[in-house]
């Protein structure tokens, strides 16, 4: 029995993170400069905050972790919130991966599109508003600066092979072949980085000078190309509507709009004094939760993963723990970061503009989000109600679903998808290429996939750190038994349901404890099960098709003398399909940069040897 009064006396006067628990597990994670004072405050009678009053009523026990500094407590708090998804924490609801631009730290750096910030020494810019906008930006960068995109490693690969296709279409100066000196290449990278930061004035001036020079020398095609690039650059700058009088400033402007238990945070990214993008985020927050708490939660969760933290963060109202959060942001960025709440002047004008946009966005999406939340809540309620008929004390938030895909045992794969509170959480999707299951055996496949997934959990792998409340497998009793056997091997006890289909291969319902659950055919619960079954099947099939296609490519082209991975890739990039390669003449094959006459003849003979 956990004796709260006695345990409160044992709390240290040190910084750290505390975890409040009810009978089912962790319901709140918080950080404290002084654990003794902070945790003790939850159990005092004079609580003004309704959310804290409600939370305190449900606390049955607590744990804590001591840290060396308050900054370390912020980091650990964010990790634990993501891992446990506690009921009473204010959380970012959108789990999608936002794109970044990555500048690698190589001898000849590359500028790449990535979906996540890695734990390496590379520079990252983002997160960006839209993947489409990032790709447009990168396309313009490669038009302005002929930077490499290959995966060669230097100095090992200098002057090996031949220049790639990008060199022949004048989008790379082939530094790999020493056709461009390293000093000039690094200068290109520096200019491109300034461009990414929104500093485009010098670039436009250089391009204009080059265009005028090309026109004077009657190089009209080159001048027209430069003109089109300048127009694309101007179009990009036209999107940057906000300009400040303080040129060169980097700041984020954040505003808040609320509706019921939802909060929408609108953030404007100002780089070099100009608006470089904007984004909105949805957070779950009870109506009783004050705005300063929401701002604080958002700042901690967003900037813990952001690739860039500006010098100024401007808000409509100050977050709670403003000084501590400012110090934490400064330690993350390596320089002073200010949190400002202006009451008048230019900065106040921008906050009002962000606030107007937040309210408009909430009015546009608020009703849709509310309806979707109501449908999700109804679906989860129906699932819990159906399962509660056979099992008491059911709690369902996270559902993991599994499926196996194979054709006659060829390239058998497994898929794992995740639904959190009725919504697909694609960042947690996982693919498995089966290693032990060679024959077309769905039971063995399910057992292998779940064994590997939960073995990784027991090994404390970050990618598999969260346990599901319930598991769905595509199939009936056999698949359920295989899943339960895998769980027993790993020492886990998690409910398993089978998603069964009718004779027309349509979702029929859920099988649990050898009984088909009573879900209304047109209810939200049944629709959710159908959606999950379709999604896990789609995800498995998509992966299986990719592997089959790769296998078919290998089996055809790799049988040709002289064709390895590089030539195979270049042939497919040039001709788009095996059929087009088969139909090509020797002269057409020689148009591929990596081909010579001997290899082209080998390819032609391979496909025409019977004729």
């Amino acid at each position: 029995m956990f004796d709260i009064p006695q345990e409160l006396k044992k709390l240290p006067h040190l910084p750290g993170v505390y975890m409040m628990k009810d009978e089912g597990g962790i319901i709140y994670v918080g950080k404290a400069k002084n654990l003794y004072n902070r945790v003790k405050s939850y159990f005092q009678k004079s609580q003004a905050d309704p959310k804290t009053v409600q939370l305190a009523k449900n606390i049955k026990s607590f744990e804590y972790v001591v840290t060396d500094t308050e900054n370390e407590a912020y980091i650990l708090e964010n990790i634990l919130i993501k891992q446990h998804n506690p009921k009473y924490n204010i959380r970012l609801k959108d789990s999608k991966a936002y794109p970044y631009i990555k500048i690698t730290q190589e001898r000849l750096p590359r500028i790449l599109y990535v979906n996540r910030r890695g734990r390496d020494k590379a520079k990252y810019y983002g997160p960006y508003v839209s993947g489409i906008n990032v790709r447009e930006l990168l396309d313009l960068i490669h038009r302005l600066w002929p930077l490499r995109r290959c995966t060669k490693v230097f100095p090992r690969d200098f002057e090996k092979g031949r220049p790639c296709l990008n060199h022949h279409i004048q989008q790379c100066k082939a530094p790999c072949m020493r056709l461009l000196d390293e000093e000039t290449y690094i200068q290109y990278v520096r200019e491109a980085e300034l461009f990414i930061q929104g500093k485009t004035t010098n670039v436009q001036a250089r391009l204009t000078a080059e265009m005028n020079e090309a026109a004077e020398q009657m190089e009209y095609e080159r001048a027209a190309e430069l003109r089109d690039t300048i127009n694309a650059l101007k179009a990009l700058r036209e999107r940057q509507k906000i300009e400040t009088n303080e040129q060169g400033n980097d700041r984020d402007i954040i505003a808040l709009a609320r509706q019921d238990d939802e909060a929408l945070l609108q953030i404007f990214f100002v780089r070099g004094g100009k608006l470089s993008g904007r984004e909105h985020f949805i957070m779950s927050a009870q109506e009783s939760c004050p705005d300063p708490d929401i701002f604080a939660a958002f700042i901690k969760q967003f900037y813990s993963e952001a690739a860039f933290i500006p010098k100024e963060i401007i808000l409509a109202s100050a977050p709670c723990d403003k000084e501590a959060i400012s110090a934490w942001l400064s330690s993350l960025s390596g320089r002073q970061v200010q949190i400002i709440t202006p009451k008048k002047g230019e900065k106040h004008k921008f906050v009002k503009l962000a606030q107007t946009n937040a309210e408009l966005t909430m009015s546009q999406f608020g009703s849709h989000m509310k309806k979707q939340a109501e449908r999700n809540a109804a679906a989860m309620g129906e699932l819990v109600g159906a399962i509660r008929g056979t099992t008491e004390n059911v709690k369902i938030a996270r559902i993991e679903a599994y499926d196996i895909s194979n054709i006659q045992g060829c390239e058998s794969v497994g898929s794992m998808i995740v639904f959190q509170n009725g919504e697909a959480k694609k960042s947690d999707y996982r693919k498995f290429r089966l290693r032990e299951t060679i024959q077309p055996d769905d039971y063995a496949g399910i057992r292998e996939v779940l064994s590997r997934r939960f073995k990784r959990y027991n090994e404390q792998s970050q990618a598999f750190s969260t346990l599901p409340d319930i598991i769905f497998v595509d199939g009936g009793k056999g698949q359920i038994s295989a899943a339960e056997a895998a769980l027993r091997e790993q020492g886990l006890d998690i409910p398993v349901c089978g998603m069964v289909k009718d004779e027309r291969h349509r979702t029929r319902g859920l099988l649990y404890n050898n009984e088909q659950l009573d879900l209304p055919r047109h209810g939200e619960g049944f629709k959710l099960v159908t959606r999950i079954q379709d999604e896990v099947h789609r995800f498995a099939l998509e992966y299986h098709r990719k592997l089959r296609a790769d296998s078919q490519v290998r089996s055809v082209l790799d049988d040709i003398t002289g064709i390895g991975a590089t030539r195979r890739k270049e042939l497919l990039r040039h001709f788009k399909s095996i059929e087009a390669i088969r139909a090509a003449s020797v002269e057409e094959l020689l148009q591929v940069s990596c081909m010579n006459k001997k290899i082209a003849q080998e390819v032609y003979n391979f496909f025409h040897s019977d004729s």
Side-chain angles (χ1 to χ4, degrees):
M1 184 69 180
F2 191 89
D3 190 335
I4 289 178
Q6 287 300 317
E7 294 299 325
L8 287 173
K9 295 176 183 177
K10 300 176 186 177
L11 286 164
H13 293 271
L14 295 169
V17 173
Y18 55 91
M19 292 151 280
M20 301 302 193
K21 297 182 172 182
D22 64 5
E23 296 91 342
I26 295 173
I27 57 174
Y28 185 77
V29 175
K31 68 91 199 168
K33 188 174 183 180
N34 184 312
L35 283 167
Y36 179 85
N37 293 340
R38 186 72 185 99
V39 176
K40 191 176 179 181
S41 69
Y42 283 88
F43 302 95
Q44 295 173 350
K45 293 182 179 179
S46 57
Q47 285 287 354
D49 180 3
K51 186 194 81 170
T52 306
V53 171
Q54 186 62 35
L55 168 62
K57 289 178 181 177
N58 291 283
I59 298 172
K60 303 301 179 186
S61 63
F62 59 81
E63 293 180 12
Y64 59 89
V65 177
V66 173
T67 58
D68 289 335
T69 64
E70 192 175 7
N71 284 343
E72 288 181 9
Y74 274 117
I75 296 168
L76 181 57
E77 178 192 27
N78 276 321
I79 292 171
L80 292 174
I81 288 172
K82 290 177 184 176
Q83 183 174 336
H84 298 289
N85 199 27
K87 177 181 178 181
Y88 286 96
N89 279 98
I90 306 167
R91 303 180 304 278
L92 273 172
K93 296 184 68 175
D94 197 345
S95 62
K96 70 181 179 182
Y98 288 90
Y100 292 84
I101 290 177
K102 175 181 179 179
I103 303 178
T104 63
Q105 294 297 298
E106 300 171 279
R107 182 158 172 178
L108 296 178
R110 292 171 293 155
I111 300 181
L112 308 172
Y113 175 106
V114 294
N115 281 319
R116 283 186 175 79
R117 184 181 179 183
R119 296 183 179 180
D120 53 22
K121 295 180 180 179
K123 290 183 179 180
Y124 290 86
Y125 288 91
Y128 281 89
V129 182
S130 161
I132 296 172
N133 293 340
V134 175
R135 294 189 193 280
E136 287 177 356
L137 182 60
L138 283 176
D139 181 61
L140 186 54
I141 285 170
H142 286 293
R143 284 163 58 187
L144 293 168
W145 295 278
L147 303 176
R148 74 182 186 98
R149 305 183 212 183
C150 63
T151 56
K152 289 183 177 180
V153 178
F154 302 105
R156 184 192 72 189
D157 294 334
F158 274 126
E159 298 184 277
K160 287 187 178 180
R162 297 180 180 184
C164 67
L165 181 63
N166 286 326
H167 173 68
H168 292 288
I169 62 175
Q170 300 181 351
Q171 288 198 4
C172 178
K173 294 287 188 182
C176 58
M177 304 304 295
R178 310 276 192 185
L179 299 180
L180 178 72
D181 64 273
E182 290 186 48
E183 185 178 344
T184 304
Y185 184 90
I186 296 300
Q187 182 60 35
Y188 285 165
V189 174
R190 287 175 183 155
E191 288 180 5
E193 186 173 1
L194 290 173
F195 178 77
I196 292 167
Q197 293 171 0
K199 300 168 183 176
T200 61
T201 306
N202 292 339
V203 176
Q204 188 170 327
R206 175 174 65 81
L207 292 174
T208 303
E210 288 181 15
M211 180 185 67
N212 293 334
E213 183 181 349
E216 287 174 5
Q217 296 179 4
M218 293 186 289
E219 297 176 359
Y220 298 120
E221 288 187 7
R222 172 63 177 158
E225 288 178 4
L226 289 166
R227 178 203 61 205
D228 293 342
T229 302
I230 291 168
N231 288 338
L233 187 58
K234 287 178 178 177
L236 181 69
R237 293 187 66 186
E238 276 297 309
R239 299 178 196 171
Q240 302 170 335
K241 296 298 183 183
I242 293 181
E243 292 198 16
T244 71
N245 294 323
E246 303 169 67
Q247 294 301 315
N249 279 3
D250 295 333
R251 55 173 64 115
D252 288 350
I253 302 163
I254 308 173
L256 170 67
R258 305 185 64 172
Q259 182 174 301
D260 301 326
D261 287 341
E262 306 285 355
L264 184 144
L265 280 296
Q266 180 83 54
I267 178 167
F268 283 0
F269 305 103
V270 177
R271 302 293 179 262
K274 299 179 180 65
L275 180 67
S276 64
R278 67 174 185 172
E279 181 60 291
H280 68 267
F281 299 84
I282 304 297
M283 302 192 79
S284 59
Q286 296 179 0
E287 285 189 80
S288 58
C289 186
D291 288 357
D293 286 0
I294 297 174
F295 277 124
F298 174 75
I299 290 170
K300 288 187 283 186
Q301 292 177 54
F302 179 76
Y303 289 106
S304 66
E305 292 189 352
F308 176 76
I309 301 174
K311 291 181 180 179
E312 295 179 351
I313 297 173
I314 302 174
L315 307 169
S317 59
C320 59
D321 293 337
K322 174 183 172 181
E323 289 76 16
I325 292 175
S326 180
W328 171 67
L329 291 170
S330 300
S331 68
L332 284 182
S333 66
R335 52 179 165 68
Q336 184 65 36
V337 176
Q338 290 184 301
I339 295 176
I340 301 170
T341 53
K343 302 301 179 187
K344 59 182 180 179
E346 186 181 76
K347 293 176 183 178
H348 180 62
K349 179 181 71 174
F350 294 142
V351 169
K352 288 182 68 177
L353 181 62
Q355 182 70 44
T356 301
N357 277 269
E359 290 168 358
L360 285 171
T361 306
M362 177 59 90
S363 66
Q364 289 171 357
F365 294 101
S367 58
H368 169 74
M369 291 186 297
K370 186 174 182 180
K371 288 178 183 176
Q372 187 60 49
E374 289 172 353
R375 285 196 293 266
N376 291 339
M380 300 304 288
E382 287 179 17
L383 284 179
V384 170
I387 293 171
R388 191 171 283 155
T390 54
T391 305
E392 294 183 358
N393 299 322
V394 178
K395 182 189 98 172
I396 299 178
R398 181 184 173 95
I399 299 170
E400 287 185 7
Y402 296 84
D403 189 19
I404 304 297
S405 180
N406 64 66
I407 295 179
Q408 298 178 347
C410 173
E411 298 288 7
S412 296
V413 301
S415 67
M416 164 188 149
I417 69 165
V418 176
F419 272 62
Q420 185 80 33
N421 296 319
E423 288 286 345
K425 190 177 183 183
K426 295 192 176 184
S427 59
D428 285 7
Y429 283 19
R430 298 290 181 267
K431 303 169 183 174
F432 299 84
R433 192 168 184 174
L434 300 191
R435 302 167 185 162
E436 302 167 9
T437 309
I438 300 173
Q439 299 300 321
D441 186 343
D442 282 1
Y443 304 155
I446 285 288
R447 185 164 182 168
E448 179 184 339
V449 168
L450 268 75
S451 293
R452 285 164 57 186
R453 183 265 186 261
F454 292 107
K455 182 181 179 183
R456 296 286 298 279
Y457 168 78
N458 285 329
E459 292 170 350
Q460 298 183 341
S461 167
Q462 188 64 36
F464 294 92
S465 60
T466 306
L467 284 178
D469 298 309
I470 196 165
I471 292 169
F472 288 179
V473 292
D474 192 44
K477 294 180 181 179
Q479 283 85 354
I480 293 172
S481 297
E484 290 173 340
L487 291 168
R488 285 195 298 272
E489 286 174 4
Q490 300 302 321
L492 297 170
D493 182 19
I494 301 171
V496 180
C497 290
M499 297 181 289
V500 291
K501 295 180 178 179
D502 60 20
E503 63 279 358
R504 295 185 180 181
H505 211 64
R506 297 176 305 185
T507 302
R508 193 176 80 210
L510 286 176
L511 191 66
Y512 181 63
N513 283 347
N514 293 322
E515 295 181 17
Q516 185 161 324
L517 298 182
D518 183 22
L519 289 170
R521 187 80 179 176
H522 299 289
E524 294 298 335
F526 186 87
K527 291 176 184 176
L528 177 60
V529 173
T530 303
R531 202 157 68 245
I532 292 172
Q533 190 169 31
D534 290 344
E535 176 69 355
V536 72
H537 183 64
R538 178 203 64 79
F539 192 56
L541 195 60
E542 181 183 87
Y543 183 41
H544 186 248
R545 282 173 178 161
K546 179 182 181 301
L547 293 182
R548 278 182 16 232
D550 291 346
S551 176
Q552 288 165 3
V553 168
R554 285 195 300 273
S555 65
V556 174
L557 293 183
D558 286 358
D559 287 340
I560 305 173
T561 303
I563 297 296
T566 301
R567 283 195 173 109
R568 183 185 73 224
K569 194 179 296 181
E570 290 299 326
L571 282 166
L572 285 170
R573 184 177 291 143
H574 183 86
F575 290 102
K576 309 300 182 187
S577 70
I578 297 292
E579 289 71 23
I581 297 171
R582 187 192 306 273
S585 66
V586 173
E587 289 73 20
E588 289 170 331
L589 290 167
L590 281 171
Q591 292 176 12
V592 181
S593 61
C594 64
M595 299 293 286
N596 58 44
K597 193 167 184 178
K598 181 182 176 182
I599 301 299
Q601 191 65 53
E602 288 282 356
V603 174
Y604 183 85
N605 291 343
F606 179 84
F607 286 113
H608 298 84
S609 58
D610 295 331
S611 57

